[in-house]
Amino acid sequence: MAQSFSPKPTSIFIPTPSSSCTLLFLVILCILGLYTLYHYHPNSAVTPTQTSQNALHFRDLFLSSASNFTISSYLRALTLHPHLAGTPPAIQTALYVQTHFRDLGLETHVKDYNALLSYPTHASLSVHFSDGAVEDVRLSEPGVAGNDVVMPYHAYSPSGSAYGRAVFVNYGREEDYRALEVQGVRVAGCVAVARRGKVTRNDVAMKAAEKGVAAVLMYAETEEGFSGGVERGTVMSGLGDPLSPGWAAVDDGERLGVDDDDVVKRFPKIASMPISADTADAILMSLEGARVPYEWRDTLKSKFSRVGPGPTMLNFTYQGVKKMVKIHNVFATIRGSEEPDRFVLLGNHRDAWTYGAVDPNSGTAALLDIARRYALLMRLGWNPRRSIILCSWDAEEFGMVGNVLSPSITSSAMAFGGMIMGQPLDTC
């Protein structure tokens, strides 16, 4: 009898050797997954709480590491000598800032530009009183010794001479001339004396020329009253190098001509000069003629009562020169970790009419100390999200010449903070 074939029964619950290995592998993966989910491991991402704690730590460290001693030492070094833009001492202050940034390990570079600046060669003023007395006015400040401090002058003033009756024009605005006209005062051919404020020096000089004034003397009042100090400044309209308005004045760059209409119209047509408040007071107290308009009286520091013209006569001469000079902008860059192509600028100008202890170098000293503290934070692992550029500009006093000559930086900036006289300016 034939024997039938009957296979042996099997069960899926009875593991073979290969299926046992697969099951063990799956169990191990589950265990590792659970461990990864519920336990810390070295490659885990930083939590928002940890990021906030780090930011607070670096902020506190930045604030606590400020030092009056280091700021004062920077200020001392920056103000050892007068450093008018375009002069040899100005180069030394640029090198000082560059060396400071570089020694901190910051990415540092200097950009040189050629700009048209203005310097005095001669100035004189004599006052001829009605009693026949003549006084030659000392134009420099009391206590200023040697030839290293530039004489008081207005940058970009044209050269010229004038001899005429003195007349007070208040701030030199259109409404001030209207007030004088109402009282029958004729200013044509006179030498005007104007107090600083309300409008720019350029506005004062341009309006005076429009009214037929021969020359303008400007003085600055102080809260304490009158003094022997003199406020230098520029009478150019607008900002930036006159020959390269709005673009960088590099060696092979495009430039306008000195006689170009767009250049000439930025300069006044009559000469002007700053004088001290003490000198202004001596002139104004000698005036006769129409009374000071009522609306001017409350804000005047001096108690003179007449506006002229005359009888006091003023004999004024100014000679100056405009010339091409090299100026130096210094930059330090801290690269951002997340948005390196977006810049936050923190800057201040470095040049000064004389020593510049208040304006600008109290601000420059603060900028150098900020750089020191940023470098400290970077050594401890900090980096900004966006790039920070620390800027030390030259020739700002002449009309923000150095500031405007860095368009490639300023046009890419998303925020700017300025430092002047040790205080931050509003950001934009």
Side-chain angles (χ1 to χ4, degrees):
M1 181 175 176
Q3 189 175 11
S4 63
F5 176 75
S6 177
K8 292 180 68 174
T10 59
S11 171
I12 61 171
F13 297 104
I14 301 174
T16 64
S18 60
S19 62
S20 298
C21 292
T22 302
L23 182 61
L24 179 62
F25 178 72
L26 291 173
V27 171
I28 292 173
L29 283 179
C30 291
I31 293 173
L32 290 174
L34 291 171
Y35 181 84
T36 302
L37 182 62
Y38 293 106
H39 293 79
Y40 170 82
H41 63 87
N43 295 324
S44 62
V46 178
T47 66
T49 300
Q50 290 170 321
T51 302
S52 177
Q53 289 174 346
N54 285 340
L56 289 173
H57 167 71
F58 284 125
R59 185 196 69 177
D60 292 343
L61 181 59
F62 179 83
L63 295 175
S64 63
S65 60
S67 169
N68 288 338
F69 174 78
T70 56
I71 293 176
S72 65
S73 66
Y74 301 149
L75 183 60
R76 173 71 175 172
L78 289 163
T79 58
L80 286 175
H81 306 284
H83 45 282
L84 184 65
T87 66
I91 299 175
Q92 297 305 312
T93 58
L95 289 173
Y96 178 78
V97 173
Q98 178 192 15
T99 301
H100 177 78
F101 287 158
R102 189 177 56 208
D103 289 350
L104 291 172
L106 301 179
E107 180 184 331
T108 305
H109 72 279
V110 177
K111 188 63 179 176
D112 297 336
Y113 298 101
N114 298 303
L116 182 71
L117 301 187
S118 165
Y119 303 94
T121 57
H122 171 76
S124 64
L125 174 65
S126 59
V127 183
H128 301 250
F129 297 101
S130 59
D131 62 359
V134 177
E135 180 181 343
D136 291 324
V137 176
R138 179 183 175 89
L139 298 178
S140 60
E141 295 93 334
V144 175
N147 298 321
D148 52 351
V149 175
V150 68
M151 71 176 72
Y153 80 111
H154 284 156
Y156 303 109
S157 169
S159 298
S161 297
Y163 180 73
R165 294 180 297 171
V167 62
F168 180 63
V169 297
N170 200 27
Y171 295 112
R173 303 166 296 179
E174 176 64 33
E175 56 261 45
D176 296 323
Y177 284 102
R178 284 200 302 265
L180 293 174
E181 188 176 358
V182 167
Q183 299 194 109
V185 177
R186 301 284 184 252
V187 300
C190 295
V191 176
V193 180
R195 57 172 168 163
R196 287 280 297 117
K198 306 298 184 182
V199 293
T200 68
R201 298 179 191 87
N202 175 266
D203 291 333
V204 175
M206 291 289 198
K207 182 60 66 175
E210 178 186 319
K211 300 298 181 180
V213 170
V216 187
L217 305 176
M218 304 183 203
Y219 72 95
E221 295 176 315
T222 65
E223 291 299 324
E224 295 76 20
F226 285 75
S227 69
V230 182
E231 183 188 84
R232 297 159 179 82
T234 180
V235 290
M236 178 180 68
S237 68
L239 304 175
D241 174 39
L243 305 187
S244 56
W247 65 85
V250 294
D251 288 337
D252 56 351
E254 180 184 359
R255 285 189 182 83
L256 301 177
V258 177
D259 297 325
D260 190 287
D261 289 342
D262 288 335
V263 176
V264 173
K265 70 182 182 181
R266 297 183 65 180
F267 307 139
K269 294 180 173 60
I270 61 172
S272 66
M273 186 173 66
I275 59 174
S276 71
D278 284 347
T279 297
D281 193 43
I283 296 170
L284 298 175
M285 292 294 289
S286 70
L287 296 182
E288 298 178 9
R291 290 191 174 275
V292 174
Y294 179 79
E295 60 269 26
W296 300 358
R297 298 176 190 175
D298 289 344
T299 58
L300 286 171
K301 302 294 183 183
S302 181
K303 300 305 179 185
F304 65 94
S305 59
R306 306 281 178 168
V307 298
T312 300
M313 304 290 290
L314 299 177
N315 190 359
F316 162 68
T317 297
Y318 171 76
Q319 296 292 325
V321 60
K322 301 180 184 72
K323 61 182 179 180
M324 298 297 297
V325 299
K326 196 171 288 295
I327 63 174
H328 317 277
N329 290 343
V330 185
F331 304 100
T333 303
I334 302 172
R335 297 291 173 182
S337 59
E338 297 182 32
E339 299 178 85
D341 294 331
R342 304 185 75 185
F343 305 141
V344 176
L345 308 185
L346 181 62
N348 185 53
H349 75 96
R350 188 184 60 254
D351 65 297
W353 292 116
T354 57
Y355 294 90
V358 177
D359 175 11
N361 287 313
S362 60
T364 301
L367 181 70
L368 297 183
D369 196 61
I370 288 171
R372 177 187 65 82
R373 287 183 274 161
Y374 276 154
L376 171 63
L377 265 59
M378 292 171 67
R379 289 196 295 270
L380 298 175
W382 171 85
N383 270 100
R385 176 179 174 180
R386 302 178 181 92
S387 294
I388 297 174
I389 302 180
L390 305 177
C391 312
S392 178
W393 283 296
D394 203 357
E396 185 274 348
E397 297 288 9
F398 288 80
M400 298 187 73
V401 172
N403 312 50
V404 177
L405 287 177
S406 302
S408 60
I409 292 178
T410 53
S411 62
S412 303
M414 58 173 298
F416 170 68
M419 300 290 296
I420 190 167
M421 292 185 280
Q423 298 292 330
L425 303 177
D426 292 337
T427 57
C428 58

